[in-house]
Amino acid sequence: MFAAFVIASGAMTIFARNPVHSVLWLILAFFNAAGLMVLVGAEFLAMLLIVVYVGAVAVLFLFVVMMLNIDFAELRAGFMKNAPLGVAIAAVLLAELVLGIGAYRAGSLTLGTPLGDAAPMAGASNTESLGALIYGPYVLLFEIAGLILLVAMIGAIVLTHRGKRSERGQQNIGKQVNRRPEDATVMKQPTVGQGVEI
């Protein structure tokens, strides 16, 4: 059932005419793929699919599609202009896939076998085994990946906020701190039945 829903929602992601509906179908595909991961015992990957892909990537797509004024007619025109190149790339990838499967079935291609040094720990869950592996022999690579992501985030913030910003809509912290309470508020004591003067 999960696999059928993944395939169906993936197809609807491609064929939906409304981009917001397309992102919602993509979120449904992620949820069903997470269900498949739970069935095979990879609950950590299921959690990553929900938290990272649905919680961050798909919601980001949804906000970008909803908030930006995108000219979809221009996008479709660009798609039709580049359609022959896309079809050629798809044909090359399909040929590679067919040749690879044919070579594997013919016996001329052998897949690598695991060394066994990354076997799951006895009596530990999938998440504990992955944590021990990531923070054990691969801790340096994990830290380098985190540092690269941090540098990329700082670079995106710097590129977004470069240039002199206008004063309109900006806070003046000094003016706010120096404001006196008696200049900011006026206490009124209206009697019963009398309105407040503005």
Side-chain angles (χ1 to χ4, degrees), residues 71-145:
D71 187 4
F72 292 105
E74 183 179 349
L75 285 179
R76 290 191 186 96
F79 173 78
M80 294 308 295
K81 182 178 73 174
N82 297 318
L85 178 61
V87 170
I89 293 174
V92 169
L93 292 176
L94 181 63
E96 289 179 354
L97 186 62
V98 170
L99 288 174
I101 293 174
Y104 175 70
R105 289 190 176 173
S108 59
L109 181 67
T110 57
L111 300 179
T113 56
L115 299 175
D117 55 353
M121 297 184 300
S125 67
N126 183 268
T127 306
E128 290 173 337
S129 299
L130 275 172
L133 188 63
I134 290 174
Y135 293 108
Y138 296 109
V139 65
L140 182 62
L141 297 175
F142 184 74
E143 293 294 332
I144 290 173

Side-chain angles (χ1 to χ4, degrees), residues 42-67:
E43 66 274 1
F44 182 76
L45 291 179
M47 183 187 68
L48 281 183
L49 272 174
I50 299 299
V51 173
V52 176
Y53 285 98
V54 175
V57 177
V59 173
L60 175 67
F61 286 165
L62 191 61
F63 277 117
V64 166
V65 167
M66 291 175 64
M67 298 297 177

